[in-house]
Amino acid sequence: MRFYRLLQIRAEALLAAGSHVIILGDLNTAHRPIDHWDAVNLECFEEDPGRKWMDHLLSNLGCQAGSHTGPFIDSYRYFHPKQKGAFTCWSTVSGARHLNYGSRLDYVLGDRTLVMDTFQASFLLPEVMGSDHCPVGAVLSVSSVPAKQCPPLCTRFLPEFAGTQLKILRFLVRLEQDPVFRQSALQLSNQTPVQMRQNKARVRSTRSRPSQAGSSRGQKNLMSYFQPSSSRPQASPNLELPSLGTLVTPKTSEEDVMASVVEGRAKASEAKNEKEVRTSFWKSLLGGPLPMPLCGGHREPCVMRTVKKPGPNLGRHFYMCARPQGPPTDPSSRCSFFLWSRPN
């Protein structure tokens, strides 16, 4: 509500200065019952503070003379006053977009003179995916007039978009120094060069020195970390290699080849059968996950969900219909089936 009031103050100030104003975007409030899929079942729908604010901001074109007339017009309702199912936001968790079970939270608002004189159309684009909201837009019959300079609050004047690399000093904040730290720093700055050399020598003398044996050797060679393995047999210098003529591969008969092939296939078959026996054993022992129950409305497998609302049931699992959320009168929408999951 503070954001709403600040937005209205800013918009009305621009109107008072002689400018036209368009308020475009997600206002996060469904204004009228026609803009919400379940307004009938919502308690005190008209008493919502956000809707009351929009009543004060907008002009009701169908109202009687003498009633409140706001400075702005909802451009979509100006061109489509009785269009039902015109929604711009749907729950992605329940898949409500498949059945258009949503609400209209995104608007193109304009001041009365601008909408009546220059707006030609206002539209929604529910077929454009990529978000839980869909784009909205309007068509204006105006000509663009270039300004001499950008407005002071233009985005191009922000440091992030200035086109120059920010320095790290912009992210650092100077802190007030502690009095003790300031006094010690002042004492260090007043020391003479002789005193500074004596302090450095005292610091070096307190450091631990390496052993004399290590310092005498100096830096080790990389090869000193690698030692020959004693497990590898050493080649004898008197060993004679056989001549090339003695290396003759014995001929294998065709029967021996066939026997080895048959033996290999038999071993593979035995290993496969053994694997299948082990798999069936573990399946019979563990049982695997239980099958999903069927919902009462469609007799289809359910989906498991987890309670995330704080309370005594936080973290518990339950089953519900897997179909997307929709109007209760639509048979293709989610049924009211609910079942708690058994604890493991």
Side-chain angles (χ1 to χ4, degrees), residues 33-280:
I34 195 176
D35 300 321
H36 197 283
W37 54 267
D38 200 19
V40 178
N41 297 325
L42 293 180
E43 186 178 357
C44 302
F45 182 86
E46 301 289 347
E47 300 301 321
D48 180 78
R51 296 184 178 93
K52 286 188 174 182
W53 173 80
M54 293 192 71
D55 290 339
H56 182 73
L57 181 72
L58 301 178
S59 294
N60 189 355
L61 300 178
C63 63
Q64 299 178 355
S67 59
H68 173 74
T69 303
F72 289 90
I73 291 178
D74 179 0
S75 63
Y76 186 81
R77 286 302 171 202
Y78 180 77
F79 291 99
H80 313 279
K82 298 182 179 180
Q83 179 66 43
K84 296 183 179 180
F87 303 142
T88 65
C89 182
W90 306 264
S91 172
T92 57
V93 177
S94 60
R97 191 166 187 170
H98 296 282
L99 300 176
N100 194 27
Y101 199 55
S103 55
R104 191 169 71 98
L105 307 180
D106 305 84
Y107 301 86
V108 181
L109 311 180
D111 62 85
R112 290 176 56 87
T113 305
L114 184 67
V115 173
M116 294 180 176
D117 294 345
T118 62
F119 273 57
Q120 292 184 334
S122 184
F123 55 87
L124 314 179
L125 299 175
E127 68 279 1
V128 178
M129 301 296 178
S131 170
D132 58 336
H133 291 252
C134 78
V136 299
V139 179
L140 283 73
S141 176
V142 295
S143 57
S144 301
V145 179
K148 296 181 179 179
Q149 60 183 6
C150 294
L153 297 179
C154 184
T155 309
R156 65 171 299 178
F157 296 131
L158 298 179
E160 296 87 337
F161 305 99
T164 57
Q165 185 175 2
L166 299 179
K167 296 183 179 180
I168 194 172
L169 294 178
R170 294 182 58 90
F171 300 93
L172 303 179
V173 180
R174 184 183 297 275
L175 300 178
E176 295 184 1
Q177 295 181 353
D178 186 61
V180 178
F181 176 78
R182 189 185 299 110
Q183 183 177 2
S184 60
L186 184 61
Q187 292 177 357
L188 289 176
S189 62
N190 294 334
Q191 285 184 352
T192 61
V194 177
Q195 292 175 339
M196 295 178 64
R197 286 196 296 270
Q198 290 177 353
N199 293 337
K200 290 182 180 179
R202 190 179 301 110
V203 172
R204 285 196 297 267
S205 63
T206 58
R207 295 178 181 173
S208 59
R209 296 185 179 181
S211 61
Q212 295 295 332
S215 60
S216 61
R217 289 197 301 268
Q219 186 175 4
K220 289 186 177 182
N221 190 349
L222 182 62
M223 297 303 297
S224 63
Y225 294 94
F226 299 92
Q227 296 180 0
S229 176
S230 59
S231 60
R232 295 181 59 184
Q234 300 291 335
S236 175
N238 299 326
L239 182 63
E240 294 183 1
L241 297 176
S243 61
L244 204 57
T246 60
L247 299 177
V248 179
T249 305
K251 295 184 179 180
T252 305
S253 62
E254 186 177 353
E255 296 179 357
D256 296 339
V257 173
M258 292 299 297
S260 61
V261 172
V262 172
E263 183 179 1
R265 290 181 178 178
K267 290 182 179 179
S269 178
E270 292 177 0
K272 183 178 180 180
N273 294 335
E274 184 179 358
K275 182 179 179 181
E276 292 178 354
V277 170
R278 290 199 301 266
T279 303
S280 60

